[in-house]
Amino acid sequence: MADDAGDMSSKDQGKKEKFGSETSVDEVMDKLSSSPDGLTASEAQERIQKYGYNEIVEKKVSPLRRFLGYFWGPIPWMIEIAIILSAIIQSWDDLIIIFVLLLINAVVGFWQENKADNAIELLKKRMALNARVKRDDKWTESPARELVPGDIVRLRLGDIVPADVKLIKGDYLQIDESALTGESLPVEKHVSDVAYSGSIIQKGEMNALVVSTGMDTYFGKTTRLVAEAKTVSHFQKAVMKIGDYLIVLAVFAIVLIFMVALYRQESMLTTLQFALVLTVAAIPAALPAVLSVSMAVGATDLSKKEAIVSKPVAIEEMAGMDVLCSDKTGTITQNKLTLADVVSFGDFSDTDVYLGGLLASRKEDHDPIDTAIISGVKGMEDVGGRSSKYKVLEFKPFDPVIKRAQVTVEDSNGKHFQFAKGAPQVILEMSSNKDAISDELNTVVEKFASEGHRALGVAGTDENGTWRMLGILALYDPPYDDSAETIKKAQSLGVKIKMVTGDHIAIAKEIAGQVNLGKHIIAASKILHMSDNKAMSIVENADGFAQVFPEHKYHIVELLQNNDHIVGMTGDGVNDAPALKKANAGIAVAGATDAAKSAADIVFTKPGLSVIVDAVRESRIIFQRMKSYSVYRVSETVNIVFFIALSIVVFNLYPITAFMIVLLALLNDGPIMAIAYDNVKPSPFPDKWNMRSIITMATFLGFISVFFSFLILYLGETVLSLSQGEIQSFIFLKLAVAGHLTIFLARTRGPFWSIKPGGLLLWSAVATKLFATLIVVYGLYITPIGWELAIFVWVYSLVAFVITDFLKVRFYKVLDHKGLIFHR
């Protein structure tokens, strides 16, 4: 049976499929030893042992190969060349410490990458697809990875097909196979056709027989590997620009040093080794690890807020988001529909309307509207008694395109009838009595809408098959208790909430008023045929949009983006996927379809708007940490590169050795990693990268550090009369202590004490500073200077730190006043 289940040998490829449409359903059932009732739980477990789990096996790189990869690349090459040059000139101390730097960078990078991979794997498990499967003759929810050939599954609107399946029961499915075939148009499939794993159900509902799973599926055989294209985020681009800036500075300094060395006829080999080490210190070697740690920590923190990040770039986009187009149902309101009222038309009774609505609903689909109707009429004996006399022959679930659900039934006398429920205007148009009830219907719909109720039309056929509208059911979905407060919080963060709903405009206005969102709600169709400039103006000023179709959502997002907004969009249905992909931050809300989840950047597992606001705040915290890293890294490089270069050129003095430069880089990497765990006050405004702000402030801090470095060099030479070895140790300690203190300058716009640093950041900085102090006091591989000089350096560095912090605050104010730094 294993060979029969989805095995496509090379001789079969290009010919007919083993379980293709030309093979009957009964034949396939027989081959897979299955039936329309599905498998038992014990049979499913046996088949898992035989076929394996329904998953694509990813090709894993061995841990050893991944670790060795950290010794390959431009930055490792430069460090390795420095090691070789150290060996050539027999500078063994330099060789050892440079090798230790290379090794530690590799170990830290490998550990952090492994940690990030583990965090992503945990998130993937939370994102895992579920499937509706028939086991032991009962429909249950099961993880899709546990499906086996022979299982019976139900596929419906919004589902991602969980395995290769043969359709066995139902009317039809409209399936998007573009991810597999590249064909943009959806494909219609019927009984006996095959649907492939990974395709998306756009319309219809059918039962299907699983024929192939995992690597035996069409998708598994075609790809053999799940590979996601990596997107370079704005942050990564920004840091690359920073890296380019630092390299330019380093190259400038090195060229200057070489020119002076040539003029002074110094050893080119020694100069080359020193220049290489200086370049190593200038290049942000810790960058990959800092990125990995920050994103892993950020994704983990967001998961605690019930937000699962499927694309890391979304963290940055959420931080900069200034407009959120929010669904009403399930986000602002509770998505707990209740049957509130009923109105019948003509000779029909309220019971007739309830009966039609009940028959056109199906419990097992867990549709919120169906559930509300079924729950609402459960206690009505007259309705329940009448409904039991009908046998369902065919059920067509709600189709968002035609906006109705429909059922065909047979009564006890063998007569066939149809019932439908859906948008009142749609139901009215198909009814023969529309002229007689049109005015009454509009009045009732307006009345219900003004009360915040959704109107649902119900129609049925007579014995001749003529459709007649029976009446209207009113459904109510109350807002969350905290929706109004949450919207207020979002607005205080600079995020404009715009409601987007398919409901009637009067309902949208009523709900918007209840949550203090503003009642300037417009019909989405109003902007569809306008010029972009006019439509942009209307969209910009609107509080929300009603009677929205999928194409409206996409257009709304596009117009806002064209007006320089970073847009978030929430959605839950298959038709929301285009808008979710188009938005800067696509957000699949709780209860979203698999198709919406796959299109979204972030998936929320907790209902409501508050979780989105929490995610915005958390994203801005992560973004602030990234900016802290950027300012710190640029300022430190400016300090070290310019101080050393000018010392060599102007004073003919190497203020520190190559060994000390590498040791500085080594000591700095510990605290800089801890920035990912720092306490941060999120920005009150949307965060965007402003490279001019970062470069300007970092360069300012760097040159202040250069000034204080030269001042202490002057004191060491003229006032304290230190030997060259002592001066180098003296300067090394100053650079180590002051460099770590720069972290605490870079992390705040206000005074350094305005935000308490994270414990890990504080104590890692303290520990590395104490380690550097012990090295210079006792002379480990360098000239010792004793405790008195070490304490002098500490006091000097702390005084310089306080003065620099004061100047930093003043400089920020000047830049703000001049308009050179932007918050938004």
Side-chain angles (χ1 to χ4, degrees), residues 302-483:
L302 283 171
S303 70
K304 294 173 185 175
K305 303 283 186 182
E306 303 293 332
I308 300 173
V309 179
S310 58
K311 300 177 180 72
V313 66
I315 292 175
E316 181 193 351
E317 301 292 12
M318 284 287 283
M321 183 178 72
D322 60 341
V323 175
L324 174 64
C325 295
S326 172
D327 262 351
K328 176 182 73 67
T329 306
T331 306
I332 294 174
T333 61
Q334 298 178 28
N335 198 19
K336 292 182 180 177
L337 292 172
T338 56
L339 198 54
D341 204 350
V342 63
V343 171
S344 55
F345 296 141
D347 297 332
F348 298 107
S349 66
D350 291 354
T351 301
D352 292 327
V353 183
Y354 284 132
L355 177 65
L358 181 64
L359 291 172
S361 302
R362 185 157 60 177
K363 184 178 181 180
E364 55 264 36
D365 286 348
H366 303 295
D367 181 90
I369 292 177
D370 289 6
T371 301
I373 293 171
I374 293 167
S375 300
V377 301
K378 186 181 289 185
M380 302 178 188
E381 292 184 12
D382 51 344
V383 179
R386 286 178 62 183
S387 67
S388 63
K389 297 177 182 178
Y390 292 93
K391 177 184 177 183
V392 175
L393 301 179
E394 181 185 17
F395 186 88
K396 294 180 180 178
F398 180 78
D399 186 329
V401 177
I402 61 174
K403 288 191 172 290
R404 73 172 188 266
Q406 192 169 310
V407 66
T408 302
V409 297
E410 181 182 77
D411 70 4
S412 55
N413 297 319
K415 295 179 180 178
H416 291 186
F417 298 91
Q418 288 183 300
F419 293 94
K421 72 177 194 308
Q425 293 300 331
V426 171
I427 299 298
L428 179 68
E429 283 301 312
M430 63 189 287
S431 302
S432 61
N433 58 340
K434 64 180 179 180
D435 293 335
I437 64 172
S438 179
D439 291 340
E440 185 182 358
L441 179 140
N442 290 332
T443 302
V444 171
V445 169
E446 288 290 344
K447 175 180 175 292
F448 283 158
S450 67
E451 297 168 351
H453 296 170
R454 180 190 296 186
L456 190 72
V458 180
T461 60
D462 57 19
E463 294 181 9
N464 300 317
T466 302
W467 283 100
R468 294 175 298 170
M469 191 159 190
L470 308 177
I472 293 179
L473 296 172
L475 302 170
Y476 180 58
D477 181 16
Y480 285 104
D481 295 336
D482 64 348
S483 284

Side-chain angles (χ1 to χ4, degrees), residues 331-332 479-491 497 511-517 609-610:
T331 306
I332 294 174
Y480 285 104
D481 295 336
D482 64 348
S483 284
E485 181 62 28
T486 302
I487 287 170
K488 187 177 178 181
K489 287 180 182 176
Q491 291 168 343
I497 307 288
I511 297 298
Q514 291 179 27
V515 298
N516 300 322
L517 187 60
L609 196 61
S610 61

Side-chain angles (χ1 to χ4, degrees), residues 316 319-320 566 620 623-624 627 683 685-689 823:
E316 181 193 351
I566 294 183
R620 291 188 189 177
F623 194 87
Q624 287 290 330
K627 288 208 295 190
S683 169
F685 306 105
D687 262 321
K688 298 179 184 178
W689 280 104
H823 298 295

Side-chain angles (χ1 to χ4, degrees), residues 656-673:
I656 55 176
T657 63
F659 169 83
M660 291 174 179
I661 292 175
V662 176
L663 190 56
L664 274 175
L666 190 62
L667 292 173
N668 283 344
D669 279 357
I672 201 64
M673 295 281 185

